[in-house]
Amino acid sequence: MSLDLAGRALARECARYAAMGWMRGTSGNLSVVLGRDPLRLAVTVSGLDKGELTRHDVVVVDGTGAAVADQPHPERVPSAEAGLHARIAAVAGAGAVVHVHAVAPVVAAEFWPDGVVLRDLEMLKGFGRAAHDDEVVVPVVPNSQDMTVLGDAFERGFSADVPALIVARHGVYVWGDDLHQARQRAECLEWLLRFRTETRGTS
């Protein structure tokens, strides 16, 4: 994918999440993989309203999340969380990573800090799992401003069949082969976690 196409796609997806209330103000960040050898990602810039991004508001980063040289717009700074995006792309083989601040995942992590268990829900199919006789445990890790610490915690709890990570009192990361799949999974996961929290005393 070219940087121009990536920028357009990322701006469009950010506007969608902002309208949903999942990327309030400047919060949240998205990325898409541009190449694998070496790993390169287009990541949304830091400090801008995510509902107002343009195709130019992206930065190319390497496998550590650092901005590469020869940026089209060198004054733009990648999200501080670009390092975790890169780690997820490398370890999970994801083509796109979505990080939003939907409330349901953060609330769920408060109740189940060791991981959120989901089972016997039809919406699990939209998350890439079976609706019945299948147990999904969404990992939860403590928040940190150090992306290496978060990346290590992600790797320790990583399971190839659970494309999501909740960072306690922060937000959720969801990934997929592309931005479309990552979005579908994020929307389904938010529903699942909202159901889990709102019915926690009944089952």
Side-chain angles (χ1 to χ4, degrees):
M1 178 182 288
S2 71
L3 182 58
D4 182 72
L5 287 176
R8 292 176 188 273
L10 290 167
R12 184 171 58 248
E13 291 298 294
C14 281
R16 179 187 181 95
Y17 291 125
M20 297 169 68
W22 291 5
M23 298 184 90
R24 297 179 185 274
T26 65
S27 69
N29 34 77
L30 310 183
S31 68
V32 63
V33 172
L34 298 174
R36 292 276 176 192
D37 188 20
L39 182 62
R40 294 289 185 266
L41 298 87
V43 181
T44 50
V45 298
S46 178
L48 295 183
D49 188 317
K50 295 308 188 294
E52 300 177 353
L53 296 189
T54 73
R55 63 189 175 93
H56 302 295
D57 296 321
V58 296
V59 181
V60 180
V61 301
D62 62 17
T64 69
V68 302
D70 301 320
Q71 294 283 335
H73 301 280
E75 74 282 2
R76 289 173 168 80
V77 178
S79 165
E81 293 154 336
L84 184 53
H85 283 253
R87 190 85 166 260
I88 291 170
V91 173
V97 181
V98 168
H99 171 48
V100 294
H101 290 194
V103 174
V106 181
V107 173
E110 289 289 291
F111 292 118
W112 301 286
D114 297 322
V116 186
V117 178
L118 303 168
R119 62 166 70 88
D120 297 330
L121 291 163
E122 190 72 18
M123 194 68 83
L124 280 167
K125 292 193 292 187
F127 192 55
R129 300 295 293 267
H132 302 288
D133 300 322
D134 188 10
E135 181 175 282
V136 177
V137 182
V138 183
V140 176
V141 299
N143 193 19
S144 174
Q145 302 306 303
D146 186 326
M147 292 305 108
T148 300
V149 171
L150 279 182
D152 290 346
F154 151 70
E155 281 206 54
R156 284 194 296 272
F158 173 68
S159 174
D161 58 356
V162 183
L165 173 73
I166 301 172
V167 179
R169 300 199 170 193
H170 183 166
V172 64
Y173 290 79
V174 185
W175 51 92
D177 293 337
D178 52 32
L179 283 169
H180 184 258
Q181 185 180 63
R183 179 219 298 166
Q184 288 185 326
R185 288 175 169 176
E187 291 179 349
C188 290
L189 180 62
E190 191 274 343
W191 186 97
L192 289 160
L193 295 174
R194 188 189 304 177
F195 175 88
R196 187 78 172 90
T197 58
E198 292 184 6
T199 64
R200 67 186 182 279
T202 64
S203 59

mmCIF file of all heavy atoms in Angstrom, residues 76-123:
data_model
loop_
_atom_site.group_PDB
_atom_site.id
_atom_site.type_symbol
_atom_site.label_atom_id
_atom_site.label_comp_id
_atom_site.label_asym_id
_atom_site.label_seq_id
_atom_site.Cartn_x
_atom_site.Cartn_y
_atom_site.Cartn_z
ATOM 1 N N ARG A 76 5.904 16.393 11.384
ATOM 2 C CA ARG A 76 4.871 15.610 12.059
ATOM 3 C C ARG A 76 5.507 14.540 12.946
ATOM 4 O O ARG A 76 6.506 13.928 12.577
ATOM 5 C CB ARG A 76 3.913 14.992 11.048
ATOM 6 C CG ARG A 76 3.009 16.035 10.382
ATOM 7 C CD ARG A 76 2.189 15.428 9.253
ATOM 8 N NE ARG A 76 1.136 16.331 8.814
ATOM 9 C CZ ARG A 76 1.304 17.352 8.005
ATOM 10 N NH1 ARG A 76 2.514 17.618 7.549
ATOM 11 N NH2 ARG A 76 0.287 18.114 7.631
ATOM 12 N N VAL A 77 4.904 14.314 14.095
ATOM 13 C CA VAL A 77 5.441 13.374 15.085
ATOM 14 C C VAL A 77 4.498 12.179 15.203
ATOM 15 O O VAL A 77 3.284 12.362 15.316
ATOM 16 C CB VAL A 77 5.578 14.059 16.467
ATOM 17 C CG1 VAL A 77 6.083 13.080 17.514
ATOM 18 C CG2 VAL A 77 6.510 15.260 16.353
ATOM 19 N N PRO A 78 5.031 10.949 15.185
ATOM 20 C CA PRO A 78 4.144 9.786 15.329
ATOM 21 C C PRO A 78 3.615 9.668 16.742
ATOM 22 O O PRO A 78 4.197 10.209 17.693
ATOM 23 C CB PRO A 78 5.063 8.605 14.996
ATOM 24 C CG PRO A 78 6.425 9.077 15.361
ATOM 25 C CD PRO A 78 6.437 10.553 15.035
ATOM 26 N N SER A 79 2.529 8.961 16.892
ATOM 27 C CA SER A 79 1.999 8.681 18.218
ATOM 28 C C SER A 79 3.081 8.073 19.097
ATOM 29 O O SER A 79 3.933 7.304 18.630
ATOM 30 C CB SER A 79 0.828 7.705 18.104
ATOM 31 O OG SER A 79 0.521 7.147 19.357
ATOM 32 N N ALA A 80 3.043 8.417 20.373
ATOM 33 C CA ALA A 80 3.997 7.835 21.323
ATOM 34 C C ALA A 80 3.836 6.326 21.423
ATOM 35 O O ALA A 80 4.746 5.623 21.881
ATOM 36 C CB ALA A 80 3.809 8.472 22.697
ATOM 37 N N GLU A 81 2.686 5.806 20.999
ATOM 38 C CA GLU A 81 2.406 4.375 21.102
ATOM 39 C C GLU A 81 2.748 3.612 19.825
ATOM 40 O O GLU A 81 2.410 2.436 19.682
ATOM 41 C CB GLU A 81 0.929 4.187 21.467
ATOM 42 C CG GLU A 81 0.642 4.696 22.874
ATOM 43 C CD GLU A 81 -0.807 5.114 23.073
ATOM 44 O OE1 GLU A 81 -1.487 5.457 22.091
ATOM 45 O OE2 GLU A 81 -1.254 5.106 24.226
ATOM 46 N N ALA A 82 3.439 4.277 18.903
ATOM 47 C CA ALA A 82 3.796 3.627 17.639
ATOM 48 C C ALA A 82 4.634 2.380 17.862
ATOM 49 O O ALA A 82 4.548 1.412 17.105
ATOM 50 C CB ALA A 82 4.540 4.613 16.738
ATOM 51 N N GLY A 83 5.445 2.388 18.924
ATOM 52 C CA GLY A 83 6.270 1.220 19.213
ATOM 53 C C GLY A 83 5.455 -0.028 19.488
ATOM 54 O O GLY A 83 5.843 -1.131 19.087
ATOM 55 N N LEU A 84 4.329 0.134 20.164
ATOM 56 C CA LEU A 84 3.478 -1.025 20.443
ATOM 57 C C LEU A 84 2.783 -1.480 19.165
ATOM 58 O O LEU A 84 2.618 -2.685 18.934
ATOM 59 C CB LEU A 84 2.463 -0.696 21.536
ATOM 60 C CG LEU A 84 1.579 -1.853 21.998
ATOM 61 C CD1 LEU A 84 2.406 -3.074 22.404
ATOM 62 C CD2 LEU A 84 0.687 -1.424 23.164
ATOM 63 N N HIS A 85 2.379 -0.548 18.320
ATOM 64 C CA HIS A 85 1.813 -0.913 17.021
ATOM 65 C C HIS A 85 2.797 -1.784 16.240
ATOM 66 O O HIS A 85 2.424 -2.821 15.673
ATOM 67 C CB HIS A 85 1.493 0.342 16.212
ATOM 68 C CG HIS A 85 0.249 1.050 16.626
ATOM 69 N ND1 HIS A 85 -0.911 1.021 15.877
ATOM 70 C CD2 HIS A 85 -0.033 1.815 17.702
ATOM 71 C CE1 HIS A 85 -1.836 1.748 16.465
ATOM 72 N NE2 HIS A 85 -1.326 2.235 17.588
ATOM 73 N N ALA A 86 4.048 -1.337 16.213
ATOM 74 C CA ALA A 86 5.064 -2.077 15.470
ATOM 75 C C ALA A 86 5.288 -3.465 16.074
ATOM 76 O O ALA A 86 5.459 -4.452 15.341
ATOM 77 C CB ALA A 86 6.370 -1.287 15.451
ATOM 78 N N ARG A 87 5.278 -3.537 17.383
ATOM 79 C CA ARG A 87 5.486 -4.833 18.054
ATOM 80 C C ARG A 87 4.349 -5.787 17.721
ATOM 81 O O ARG A 87 4.568 -6.972 17.428
ATOM 82 C CB ARG A 87 5.561 -4.588 19.561
ATOM 83 C CG ARG A 87 6.015 -5.778 20.405
ATOM 84 C CD ARG A 87 7.530 -5.843 20.464
ATOM 85 N NE ARG A 87 7.972 -6.746 21.514
ATOM 86 C CZ ARG A 87 8.390 -6.358 22.718
ATOM 87 N NH1 ARG A 87 8.469 -5.072 23.004
ATOM 88 N NH2 ARG A 87 8.772 -7.232 23.617
ATOM 89 N N ILE A 88 3.121 -5.289 17.741
ATOM 90 C CA ILE A 88 1.963 -6.122 17.402
ATOM 91 C C ILE A 88 2.039 -6.578 15.955
ATOM 92 O O ILE A 88 1.792 -7.747 15.637
ATOM 93 C CB ILE A 88 0.652 -5.358 17.672
ATOM 94 C CG1 ILE A 88 0.457 -5.164 19.177
ATOM 95 C CG2 ILE A 88 -0.542 -6.100 17.077
ATOM 96 C CD1 ILE A 88 -0.678 -4.221 19.546
ATOM 97 N N ALA A 89 2.393 -5.664 15.062
ATOM 98 C CA ALA A 89 2.503 -6.022 13.646
ATOM 99 C C ALA A 89 3.551 -7.108 13.441
ATOM 100 O O ALA A 89 3.355 -8.046 12.655
ATOM 101 C CB ALA A 89 2.842 -4.790 12.818
ATOM 102 N N ALA A 90 4.660 -7.004 14.159
ATOM 103 C CA ALA A 90 5.743 -7.970 14.007
ATOM 104 C C ALA A 90 5.382 -9.330 14.593
ATOM 105 O O ALA A 90 5.594 -10.377 13.975
ATOM 106 C CB ALA A 90 7.017 -7.434 14.657
ATOM 107 N N VAL A 91 4.836 -9.338 15.797
ATOM 108 C CA VAL A 91 4.571 -10.592 16.509
ATOM 109 C C VAL A 91 3.310 -11.281 15.990
ATOM 110 O O VAL A 91 3.293 -12.498 15.765
ATOM 111 C CB VAL A 91 4.450 -10.335 18.025
ATOM 112 C CG1 VAL A 91 4.000 -11.589 18.762
ATOM 113 C CG2 VAL A 91 5.777 -9.835 18.576
ATOM 114 N N ALA A 92 2.241 -10.505 15.785
ATOM 115 C CA ALA A 92 0.963 -11.089 15.377
ATOM 116 C C ALA A 92 0.819 -11.190 13.863
ATOM 117 O O ALA A 92 -0.120 -11.816 13.379
ATOM 118 C CB ALA A 92 -0.185 -10.252 15.947
ATOM 119 N N GLY A 93 1.728 -10.551 13.128
ATOM 120 C CA GLY A 93 1.595 -10.553 11.681
ATOM 121 C C GLY A 93 0.457 -9.692 11.186
ATOM 122 O O GLY A 93 -0.038 -9.876 10.065
ATOM 123 N N ALA A 94 0.009 -8.745 12.009
ATOM 124 C CA ALA A 94 -1.128 -7.900 11.658
ATOM 125 C C ALA A 94 -0.775 -6.958 10.516
ATOM 126 O O ALA A 94 0.352 -6.491 10.406
ATOM 127 C CB ALA A 94 -1.562 -7.081 12.876
ATOM 128 N N GLY A 95 -1.796 -6.675 9.689
ATOM 129 C CA GLY A 95 -1.629 -5.701 8.629
ATOM 130 C C GLY A 95 -2.086 -4.322 9.043
ATOM 131 O O GLY A 95 -1.767 -3.330 8.395
ATOM 132 N N ALA A 96 -2.865 -4.258 10.136
ATOM 133 C CA ALA A 96 -3.369 -2.988 10.652
ATOM 134 C C ALA A 96 -3.667 -3.146 12.129
ATOM 135 O O ALA A 96 -4.086 -4.224 12.581
ATOM 136 C CB ALA A 96 -4.628 -2.554 9.906
ATOM 137 N N VAL A 97 -3.462 -2.062 12.884
ATOM 138 C CA VAL A 97 -3.711 -2.051 14.325
ATOM 139 C C VAL A 97 -4.564 -0.833 14.657
ATOM 140 O O VAL A 97 -4.272 0.271 14.204
ATOM 141 C CB VAL A 97 -2.401 -2.006 15.136
ATOM 142 C CG1 VAL A 97 -2.701 -2.031 16.641
ATOM 143 C CG2 VAL A 97 -1.483 -3.162 14.754
ATOM 144 N N VAL A 98 -5.598 -1.069 15.443
ATOM 145 C CA VAL A 98 -6.522 -0.021 15.866
ATOM 146 C C VAL A 98 -6.393 0.147 17.372
ATOM 147 O O VAL A 98 -6.512 -0.835 18.121
ATOM 148 C CB VAL A 98 -7.975 -0.408 15.507
ATOM 149 C CG1 VAL A 98 -8.972 0.504 16.190
ATOM 150 C CG2 VAL A 98 -8.167 -0.401 14.005
ATOM 151 N N HIS A 99 -6.124 1.370 17.824
ATOM 152 C CA HIS A 99 -6.094 1.651 19.263
ATOM 153 C C HIS A 99 -7.102 2.750 19.553
ATOM 154 O O HIS A 99 -6.923 3.893 19.126
ATOM 155 C CB HIS A 99 -4.708 2.083 19.716
ATOM 156 C CG HIS A 99 -4.669 2.592 21.124
ATOM 157 N ND1 HIS A 99 -5.260 1.914 22.183
ATOM 158 C CD2 HIS A 99 -4.135 3.721 21.661
ATOM 159 C CE1 HIS A 99 -5.073 2.601 23.297
ATOM 160 N NE2 HIS A 99 -4.409 3.711 23.006
ATOM 161 N N VAL A 100 -8.179 2.390 20.266
ATOM 162 C CA VAL A 100 -9.239 3.349 20.573
ATOM 163 C C VAL A 100 -9.499 3.364 22.070
ATOM 164 O O VAL A 100 -9.070 2.479 22.811
ATOM 165 C CB VAL A 100 -10.540 2.999 19.817
ATOM 166 C CG1 VAL A 100 -10.350 3.167 18.311
ATOM 167 C CG2 VAL A 100 -11.015 1.585 20.148
ATOM 168 N N HIS A 101 -10.223 4.389 22.504
ATOM 169 C CA HIS A 101 -10.521 4.570 23.914
ATOM 170 C C HIS A 101 -12.004 4.357 24.182
ATOM 171 O O HIS A 101 -12.635 5.146 24.879
ATOM 172 C CB HIS A 101 -10.068 5.957 24.370
ATOM 173 C CG HIS A 101 -8.581 6.099 24.426
ATOM 174 N ND1 HIS A 101 -7.962 7.156 25.062
ATOM 175 C CD2 HIS A 101 -7.579 5.329 23.942
ATOM 176 C CE1 HIS A 101 -6.645 7.016 24.948
ATOM 177 N NE2 HIS A 101 -6.399 5.925 24.272
ATOM 178 N N ALA A 102 -12.550 3.282 23.600
ATOM 179 C CA ALA A 102 -13.911 2.889 23.942
ATOM 180 C C ALA A 102 -13.965 2.577 25.433
ATOM 181 O O ALA A 102 -13.000 2.065 26.012
ATOM 182 C CB ALA A 102 -14.332 1.675 23.118
ATOM 183 N N VAL A 103 -15.098 2.851 26.062
ATOM 184 C CA VAL A 103 -15.202 2.703 27.518
ATOM 185 C C VAL A 103 -15.313 1.244 27.945
ATOM 186 O O VAL A 103 -14.720 0.832 28.952
ATOM 187 C CB VAL A 103 -16.389 3.525 28.057
ATOM 188 C CG1 VAL A 103 -16.591 3.271 29.547
ATOM 189 C CG2 VAL A 103 -16.173 5.011 27.811
ATOM 190 N N ALA A 104 -16.067 0.445 27.213
ATOM 191 C CA ALA A 104 -16.359 -0.932 27.649
ATOM 192 C C ALA A 104 -15.099 -1.754 27.941
ATOM 193 O O ALA A 104 -15.047 -2.458 28.960
ATOM 194 C CB ALA A 104 -17.243 -1.637 26.619
ATOM 195 N N PRO A 105 -14.072 -1.729 27.102
ATOM 196 C CA PRO A 105 -12.869 -2.513 27.431
ATOM 197 C C PRO A 105 -12.187 -2.061 28.718
ATOM 198 O O PRO A 105 -11.696 -2.894 29.488
ATOM 199 C CB PRO A 105 -11.960 -2.274 26.216
ATOM 200 C CG PRO A 105 -12.881 -1.886 25.110
ATOM 201 C CD PRO A 105 -13.976 -1.111 25.768
ATOM 202 N N VAL A 106 -12.163 -0.757 28.965
ATOM 203 C CA VAL A 106 -11.507 -0.241 30.165
ATOM 204 C C VAL A 106 -12.293 -0.648 31.414
ATOM 205 O O VAL A 106 -11.707 -1.020 32.436
ATOM 206 C CB VAL A 106 -11.348 1.290 30.073
ATOM 207 C CG1 VAL A 106 -10.644 1.833 31.303
ATOM 208 C CG2 VAL A 106 -10.577 1.669 28.814
ATOM 209 N N VAL A 107 -13.617 -0.585 31.330
ATOM 210 C CA VAL A 107 -14.450 -1.008 32.453
ATOM 211 C C VAL A 107 -14.284 -2.507 32.693
ATOM 212 O O VAL A 107 -14.152 -2.960 33.837
ATOM 213 C CB VAL A 107 -15.927 -0.662 32.192
ATOM 214 C CG1 VAL A 107 -16.817 -1.244 33.283
ATOM 215 C CG2 VAL A 107 -16.120 0.848 32.110
ATOM 216 N N ALA A 108 -14.266 -3.285 31.618
ATOM 217 C CA ALA A 108 -14.106 -4.734 31.765
ATOM 218 C C ALA A 108 -12.790 -5.067 32.460
ATOM 219 O O ALA A 108 -12.734 -5.974 33.297
ATOM 220 C CB ALA A 108 -14.173 -5.403 30.391
ATOM 221 N N ALA A 109 -11.729 -4.334 32.131
ATOM 222 C CA ALA A 109 -10.434 -4.583 32.763
ATOM 223 C C ALA A 109 -10.455 -4.288 34.256
ATOM 224 O O ALA A 109 -9.713 -4.894 35.029
ATOM 225 C CB ALA A 109 -9.353 -3.749 32.071
ATOM 226 N N GLU A 110 -11.311 -3.355 34.680
ATOM 227 C CA GLU A 110 -11.449 -3.068 36.109
ATOM 228 C C GLU A 110 -12.022 -4.274 36.846
ATOM 229 O O GLU A 110 -11.615 -4.589 37.961
ATOM 230 C CB GLU A 110 -12.366 -1.861 36.312
ATOM 231 C CG GLU A 110 -11.768 -0.535 35.885
ATOM 232 C CD GLU A 110 -10.662 -0.084 36.820
ATOM 233 O OE1 GLU A 110 -10.961 0.258 37.985
ATOM 234 O OE2 GLU A 110 -9.493 -0.083 36.379
ATOM 235 N N PHE A 111 -12.976 -4.959 36.215
ATOM 236 C CA PHE A 111 -13.615 -6.113 36.850
ATOM 237 C C PHE A 111 -12.782 -7.384 36.724
ATOM 238 O O PHE A 111 -12.797 -8.232 37.623
ATOM 239 C CB PHE A 111 -15.006 -6.348 36.253
ATOM 240 C CG PHE A 111 -16.004 -5.266 36.575
ATOM 241 C CD1 PHE A 111 -16.585 -4.507 35.567
ATOM 242 C CD2 PHE A 111 -16.359 -4.995 37.887
ATOM 243 C CE1 PHE A 111 -17.503 -3.509 35.862
ATOM 244 C CE2 PHE A 111 -17.273 -4.005 38.201
ATOM 245 C CZ PHE A 111 -17.848 -3.257 37.184
ATOM 246 N N TRP A 112 -12.071 -7.535 35.607
ATOM 247 C CA TRP A 112 -11.307 -8.762 35.351
ATOM 248 C C TRP A 112 -9.880 -8.416 34.930
ATOM 249 O O TRP A 112 -9.506 -8.557 33.758
ATOM 250 C CB TRP A 112 -12.019 -9.580 34.271
ATOM 251 C CG TRP A 112 -13.421 -9.942 34.659
ATOM 252 C CD1 TRP A 112 -13.814 -10.891 35.573
ATOM 253 C CD2 TRP A 112 -14.634 -9.341 34.165
ATOM 254 N NE1 TRP A 112 -15.188 -10.920 35.665
ATOM 255 C CE2 TRP A 112 -15.722 -9.981 34.820
ATOM 256 C CE3 TRP A 112 -14.911 -8.337 33.243
ATOM 257 C CZ2 TRP A 112 -17.044 -9.640 34.573
ATOM 258 C CZ3 TRP A 112 -16.221 -7.995 32.992
ATOM 259 C CH2 TRP A 112 -17.274 -8.641 33.642
ATOM 260 N N PRO A 113 -9.058 -7.974 35.868
ATOM 261 C CA PRO A 113 -7.699 -7.523 35.538
ATOM 262 C C PRO A 113 -6.769 -8.637 35.066
ATOM 263 O O PRO A 113 -5.690 -8.345 34.520
ATOM 264 C CB PRO A 113 -7.203 -6.906 36.852
ATOM 265 C CG PRO A 113 -8.018 -7.577 37.919
ATOM 266 C CD PRO A 113 -9.358 -7.807 37.307
ATOM 267 N N ASP A 114 -7.168 -9.885 35.255
ATOM 268 C CA ASP A 114 -6.344 -11.006 34.796
ATOM 269 C C ASP A 114 -6.770 -11.518 33.427
ATOM 270 O O ASP A 114 -6.233 -12.523 32.947
ATOM 271 C CB ASP A 114 -6.397 -12.152 35.807
ATOM 272 C CG ASP A 114 -5.811 -11.754 37.157
ATOM 273 O OD1 ASP A 114 -4.794 -11.017 37.161
ATOM 274 O OD2 ASP A 114 -6.361 -12.158 38.197
ATOM 275 N N GLY A 115 -7.723 -10.849 32.800
ATOM 276 C CA GLY A 115 -8.215 -11.276 31.493
ATOM 277 C C GLY A 115 -9.723 -11.394 31.504
ATOM 278 O O GLY A 115 -10.308 -11.807 32.506
ATOM 279 N N VAL A 116 -10.347 -11.008 30.399
ATOM 280 C CA VAL A 116 -11.810 -11.021 30.304
ATOM 281 C C VAL A 116 -12.247 -12.257 29.537
ATOM 282 O O VAL A 116 -11.881 -12.437 28.366
ATOM 283 C CB VAL A 116 -12.332 -9.756 29.603
ATOM 284 C CG1 VAL A 116 -13.857 -9.728 29.644
ATOM 285 C CG2 VAL A 116 -11.757 -8.502 30.244
ATOM 286 N N VAL A 117 -13.038 -13.111 30.191
ATOM 287 C CA VAL A 117 -13.497 -14.357 29.584
ATOM 288 C C VAL A 117 -14.811 -14.120 28.846
ATOM 289 O O VAL A 117 -15.752 -13.542 29.392
ATOM 290 C CB VAL A 117 -13.688 -15.451 30.657
ATOM 291 C CG1 VAL A 117 -14.222 -16.735 30.018
ATOM 292 C CG2 VAL A 117 -12.372 -15.716 31.384
ATOM 293 N N LEU A 118 -14.865 -14.589 27.597
ATOM 294 C CA LEU A 118 -16.066 -14.484 26.768
ATOM 295 C C LEU A 118 -16.414 -15.861 26.236
ATOM 296 O O LEU A 118 -15.534 -16.588 25.761
ATOM 297 C CB LEU A 118 -15.825 -13.526 25.597
ATOM 298 C CG LEU A 118 -15.391 -12.103 25.942
ATOM 299 C CD1 LEU A 118 -14.906 -11.383 24.699
ATOM 300 C CD2 LEU A 118 -16.533 -11.342 26.595
ATOM 301 N N ARG A 119 -17.695 -16.205 26.290
ATOM 302 C CA ARG A 119 -18.116 -17.497 25.736
ATOM 303 C C ARG A 119 -19.609 -17.455 25.415
ATOM 304 O O ARG A 119 -20.357 -16.671 25.973
ATOM 305 C CB ARG A 119 -17.824 -18.635 26.713
ATOM 306 C CG ARG A 119 -18.566 -18.534 28.046
ATOM 307 C CD ARG A 119 -18.492 -19.848 28.827
ATOM 308 N NE ARG A 119 -17.157 -20.095 29.309
ATOM 309 C CZ ARG A 119 -16.692 -19.652 30.467
ATOM 310 N NH1 ARG A 119 -17.455 -18.901 31.253
ATOM 311 N NH2 ARG A 119 -15.477 -19.924 30.845
ATOM 312 N N ASP A 120 -20.013 -18.344 24.502
ATOM 313 C CA ASP A 120 -21.428 -18.561 24.169
ATOM 314 C C ASP A 120 -22.161 -17.285 23.790
ATOM 315 O O ASP A 120 -23.260 -17.012 24.262
ATOM 316 C CB ASP A 120 -22.153 -19.254 25.335
ATOM 317 C CG ASP A 120 -21.596 -20.642 25.608
ATOM 318 O OD1 ASP A 120 -21.115 -21.278 24.662
ATOM 319 O OD2 ASP A 120 -21.627 -21.082 26.769
ATOM 320 N N LEU A 121 -21.538 -16.503 22.916
ATOM 321 C CA LEU A 121 -22.159 -15.286 22.416
ATOM 322 C C LEU A 121 -22.015 -15.249 20.902
ATOM 323 O O LEU A 121 -20.918 -15.424 20.360
ATOM 324 C CB LEU A 121 -21.496 -14.046 23.027
ATOM 325 C CG LEU A 121 -21.740 -13.825 24.519
ATOM 326 C CD1 LEU A 121 -20.723 -12.854 25.094
ATOM 327 C CD2 LEU A 121 -23.152 -13.292 24.736
ATOM 328 N N GLU A 122 -23.115 -15.011 20.223
ATOM 329 C CA GLU A 122 -23.115 -15.041 18.764
ATOM 330 C C GLU A 122 -22.117 -14.049 18.169
ATOM 331 O O GLU A 122 -21.487 -14.314 17.138
ATOM 332 C CB GLU A 122 -24.521 -14.732 18.252
ATOM 333 C CG GLU A 122 -24.720 -14.973 16.762
ATOM 334 C CD GLU A 122 -24.766 -16.452 16.387
ATOM 335 O OE1 GLU A 122 -24.982 -17.305 17.286
ATOM 336 O OE2 GLU A 122 -24.594 -16.743 15.188
ATOM 337 N N MET A 123 -21.942 -12.907 18.821
ATOM 338 C CA MET A 123 -21.065 -11.871 18.292
ATOM 339 C C MET A 123 -19.598 -12.304 18.258
ATOM 340 O O MET A 123 -18.779 -11.681 17.572
ATOM 341 C CB MET A 123 -21.215 -10.589 19.108
ATOM 342 C CG MET A 123 -20.607 -9.357 18.467
ATOM 343 S SD MET A 123 -21.461 -8.825 16.988
ATOM 344 C CE MET A 123 -22.805 -7.880 17.741
#
